[in-house]
């Protein structure tokens, strides 16, 4: 159970540091930052999938499933929003 407590403390610490860092980012940099957080979420997704490759307790399975669901949602939604924002920078092509 001490491993679970350690993981929770690391998660809580990274949440606080991440929130403090992201809240100070100017709006102009949000699109590149979103692309980077998509990559980080993909790493989280990979880590959660690796968690299921070893014997785990039911609590760890639930936490792993939650990590898979939230990081998948973040990756898919983040790439969709990034793609939409990047399309705004492309001009409309005129057909002649």
């Amino acid at each position: 159970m001490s491993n679970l407590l350690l993981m929770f403390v690391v998660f809580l610490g990274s949440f606080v540091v991440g929130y403090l860092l992201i809240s100070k980012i100017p709006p102009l940099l949000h699109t590149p930052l979103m692309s980077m957080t998509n990559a980080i979420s993909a790493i989280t997704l990979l880590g959660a999938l690796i968690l299921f490759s070893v014997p785990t307790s039911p609590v760890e399975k639930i936490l792993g499933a939650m990590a898979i669901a939230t990081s998948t949602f973040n990756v898919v939604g983040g790439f969709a929003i990034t793609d939409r924002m990047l399309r705004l920078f492309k001009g409309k092509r005129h057909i002649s």
Side-chain angles (χ1 to χ4, degrees):
M1 195 61 148
S2 64
N3 286 340
L4 185 61
L5 182 61
L6 177 63
M7 286 189 277
F8 182 72
V9 169
V10 169
F11 172 76
L12 190 60
S14 62
F15 177 81
V16 170
V17 169
Y19 177 78
L20 291 174
L21 289 174
I22 290 174
S23 65
K24 296 181 184 346
I25 300 293
L28 182 63
L29 297 176
H30 279 205
T31 300
L33 180 66
M34 185 176 289
S35 296
M36 185 54 131
T37 58
N38 288 340
I40 293 169
S41 289
I43 293 169
T44 304
L45 181 59
L46 181 61
L49 289 172
I50 291 172
L51 177 67
F52 283 117
S53 69
V54 297
T56 57
S57 71
V59 172
E60 292 168 336
K61 286 183 183 189
I62 291 170
L63 290 174
M66 287 172 47
I68 289 173
T70 55
S71 60
T72 301
F73 180 77
N74 193 26
V75 168
V76 172
F79 277 119
I81 291 171
T82 301
D83 181 58
R84 183 176 177 193
M85 291 182 77
L86 290 175
R87 277 191 266 139
L88 290 174
F89 291 106
K90 293 180 182 178
K92 291 186 178 183
R93 295 190 175 133
H94 297 287
I95 300 173
S96 337

